Amino acid sequence: MTKREVELLAVGAGPSNLGLAVALEELAPDVAENTLLIDRNPTIEWQPGMLLPWAKSQVAFVKDLVTLRNPRSRFSFLSHLHATGRLDDFINMGELTPYRLEIAEYLRWVANSLRKVRYELGCDCVSIMPQRDAAGTLTGWLTTLADGTSISSRYLVIGTGRDPHIPQVFADIPGHRIVHSTQYRPRVAGLSKEMPYRVALVGSSQSSAEMFRALREDLPDCDVAWVMRAISLTADQSSKFTNQFYYPSFVDDFYASPSEARERMLREMYKTNYSCVTPAMLETLYTELYLDRLGQRNDRRLITMVDITAAREVADELVLELTDRRTGAVTQLHRDMVFLGTGFSWETPRLVRRLTDAIGLDQVQVTRAYQLILDEPSTAACYLQGINEATHGIGDSLLSVLAHRAQDIAFDIIAHRAGPQNRAHGGADLPAEAYALGRQSS
Ligand SMILES: Cc1cc2nc3c(=O)[nH]c(=O)nc-3n(C[C@H](O)[C@H](O)[C@H](O)COP(=O)(O)OP(=O)(O)OC[C@H]3O[C@@H](n4cnc5c(N)ncnc54)[C@H](O)[C@@H]3O)c2cc1C
């Protein structure tokens, strides 16, 4: 089987690693020359399962892959609009937030505009193993793809997002009856539009709200019971004040805080990003349901304050057991399919967990510069993108911080390559000298 070698392998070609590719081209061109970016998808997309035609990004266009770090970059969203002849139209819209489809196009344009970093699609990474020399020093990583080929690298950056969260109660339900939001578009495309499916939609998040809205058009004859633990849908608690905690400059404060303080801050910020819906979407949904009632249509309803305490397939249907959180009363809901807007698992993603198990790490921790903390001698380094909310703050999984994060990683790699005296040894914080070294070379 083919085995290749690159200096840096970036797994996952989503915004995080595309932002890194841009940072390497601009700040570390010699690293960029020998960097390969891979993704399992056949095309570059942005959250393709939920790439709905009317869905918009929730952050301003300036929070693209680079502008907050380098407003003069040729890789900005505005450069993309200019290069593709869409700048006038975008400005004339008078909106700060682009459609998600536009962001996906922008990501493809960035990938095709890279001059040094190479990317390959249709590369499903199935395992990553540490490589050690005869003395036992960790010298690199061996990444194996689904087609059996492998790639070894000294540097590895994992930006594969989090694993979808499927609540335990659905563990025994056959896969064809369950659609997680990450699979919404391809799975719905495979269903018959005419079938009067009975659907349970689960969760009270933005993704659930978007599926509720999309199902009206995608499966017009279906009957939807939207089931949630919450008493009601609620608007996100964002404000100009809370948004300050999404600034890249807040990461230092957050990282430096004791772990109890970090947990407290994340708890307080939770409803700015999770289990909530944008005010604009709430308006749309309420209006649609209002018009349903006006037209005596009752095939869409909300069932609030219930726990789904059991789920099983009986004959040709699903039976969900709903336990009312106010009274404890148990009722049954008979459905054909379940759509899950249940978000993502907080656990370390399986791919990363298998790697850290193979290294022999008890816990998965990264430095301020996102470098995986290894408890052993090593001449290699691995970085984790987008899964460090617990140590780097609420913005970590979003577009908000990724341009700066890419710079942090690029500088850390520059410092690491320059020799042991410049390394963040034993996983300590990124030293000021590393930054200086990185900045000199930029
Ligand atoms: C529906 C939805 C809407 C969102 N909207 C916003 C928003 O408006 N604003 C915002 O800031 N954030 C938003 N987010 C958060 C989102 O996580 C970030 O915007 C961003 O996509 C994170 O980028 P990423 O590269 O870290 O991860 P992802 O975008 O998840 O990209 C990961 C990439 O890794 C690839 N991959 C995964 N596993 C493998 C593997 N084993 N082998 C090879 N490739 C693999 C995937 O195919 C994917 O391309 C949204 C998230 C969702 C789910």
Side-chain angles (χ1 to χ4, degrees):
M1 279 295 173
T2 328
K3 184 173 169 191
R4 292 181 284 164
E5 188 167 348
V6 293
E7 182 173 17
L8 192 165
L9 181 69
V11 184
S16 295
N17 274 338
L18 284 168
L20 177 70
V22 168
L24 293 174
E25 296 230 343
E26 293 184 346
L27 304 170
D30 48 341
V31 182
E33 293 277 7
N34 201 5
T35 292
L36 177 65
L37 178 60
I38 59 168
D39 200 285
R40 65 179 169 201
N41 284 338
T43 50
I44 302 260
E45 294 291 351
W46 187 41
Q47 302 295 348
M50 290 296 285
L51 208 54
L52 302 163
W54 36 259
K56 297 188 89 179
S57 165
Q58 284 169 244
V59 299
F61 70 90
V62 280
K63 292 186 175 180
D64 58 18
L65 300 185
V66 67
T67 300
L68 295 187
R69 168 175 72 73
N70 174 14
R72 288 184 228 102
S73 172
R74 70 182 179 87
F75 293 102
S76 68
F77 183 71
L78 282 185
S79 283
H80 154 67
L81 292 178
H82 185 257
T84 55
R86 299 194 48 250
L87 190 54
D88 287 342
D89 280 351
F90 182 78
I91 292 172
N92 198 34
M93 275 290 280
E95 299 275 337
L96 284 173
T97 50
Y99 286 95
R100 280 198 209 135
L101 287 168
E102 297 182 278
I103 302 273
E105 269 178 32
Y106 163 63
L107 298 182
R108 280 190 286 278
W109 175 84
V110 168
N112 292 328
S113 307
L114 295 168
R115 291 185 186 143
K116 296 177 188 297
V117 173
R118 287 170 299 126
Y119 74 91
E120 291 177 16
L121 302 174
C123 299
D124 189 3
C125 164
V126 290
S127 97
I128 305 170
M129 287 289 150
Q131 291 183 299
R132 295 190 171 87
D133 66 12
T137 303
L138 202 158
T139 54
W141 316 97
L142 185 68
T143 299
T144 305
L145 307 183
D147 65 3
T149 61
S150 54
I151 304 165
S152 64
S153 62
R154 178 179 180 193
Y155 296 109
L156 176 74
V157 185
I158 304 179
T160 49
R162 287 195 175 276
D163 297 332
H165 172 58
I166 313 284
Q168 189 55 33
V169 71
F170 298 114
D172 296 332
I173 300 299
H176 71 276
R177 290 196 183 271
I178 295 202
V179 180
H180 187 269
S181 59
T182 49
Q183 289 297 314
Y184 178 83
R185 279 182 58 246
R187 290 288 304 280
V188 160
L191 297 172
S192 161
K193 261 197 164 204
E194 282 76 45
M195 285 290 284
Y197 295 105
R198 295 165 304 162
V199 165
L201 172 65
V202 182
S204 54
S205 61
Q206 180 71 15
S207 293
S208 322
E210 290 180 3
M211 286 192 284
F212 189 73
R213 181 175 171 197
L215 280 168
R216 187 180 286 274
E217 203 170 297
D218 295 336
L219 299 176
D221 294 328
C222 74
D223 174 292
V224 185
W226 187 355
V227 182
M228 63 190 77
R229 299 191 76 232
I231 192 166
S232 149
L233 294 170
T234 49
D236 64 57
Q237 292 174 358
S238 300
S239 73
K240 290 198 165 75
F241 291 97
T242 57
N243 281 347
Q244 297 176 103
F245 301 103
Y246 288 87
Y247 288 178
S249 54
F250 182 62
V251 177
D252 278 332
D253 275 359
F254 192 88
Y255 186 81
S257 302
S259 62
E260 317 79 67
R262 289 177 187 161
E263 280 167 27
R264 212 173 306 133
M265 285 188 269
L266 288 177
R267 263 200 308 278
E268 292 217 13
M269 292 290 288
Y270 186 79
K271 280 278 189 175
T272 62
N273 192 41
Y274 298 108
S275 300
C276 56
V277 179
T278 60
M281 176 61 83
L282 287 178
E283 284 297 314
T284 304
L285 295 181
Y286 191 83
T287 307
E288 287 179 357
L289 286 167
Y290 178 87
L291 289 172
D292 280 354
R293 286 198 290 269
L294 194 65
Q296 316 271 310
R297 194 179 160 171
N298 57 6
D299 54 359
R300 263 143 239 273
R301 64 192 184 284
L302 271 60
I303 305 177
T304 61
M305 281 205 91
V306 289
D307 281 323
I308 301 176
T309 39
R312 55 190 184 280
E313 190 179 38
V314 181
D316 198 25
E317 64 175 8
L318 289 178
V319 181
L320 307 185
E321 181 185 284
L322 308 184
T323 302
D324 191 304
R325 296 178 63 221
R326 291 158 297 197
T327 63
V330 177
T331 52
Q332 288 188 341
L333 183 64
H334 297 256
R335 301 279 99 180
D336 300 308
M337 300 195 68
V338 176
F339 283 68
L340 297 177
T342 45
F344 294 85
S345 168
W346 288 103
E347 311 267 301
T348 303
R350 270 189 304 277
L351 187 69
V352 178
R353 188 69 256 175
R354 285 201 299 262
L355 168 64
T356 54
D357 284 350
I359 299 170
L361 293 175
D362 291 338
Q363 45 181 343
V364 182
Q365 279 184 299
V366 293
T367 65
R368 169 63 185 83
Y370 307 94
Q371 189 187 138
L372 180 65
I373 297 177
L374 303 169
D375 214 6
E376 60 177 306
S378 168
T379 56
C382 169
Y383 298 83
L384 304 180
Q385 296 226 62
I387 57 169
N388 302 308
E389 198 173 291
T391 48
H392 290 64
I394 185 90
D396 194 67
S397 66
L398 305 178
L399 303 180
S400 314
V401 298
L402 65 80
H404 281 81
R405 183 173 63 214
Q407 171 173 285
D408 293 339
I409 294 173
F411 285 170
D412 202 59
I413 291 173
I414 292 169
H416 193 276
R417 281 171 111 223
Q421 70 280 11
N422 294 303
R423 278 180 209 153
H425 72 93
D429 245 353
L430 180 67
E433 317 85 71
Y435 255 88
L437 199 73
R439 289 224 157 86
Q440 279 159 25
S441 80
S442 66

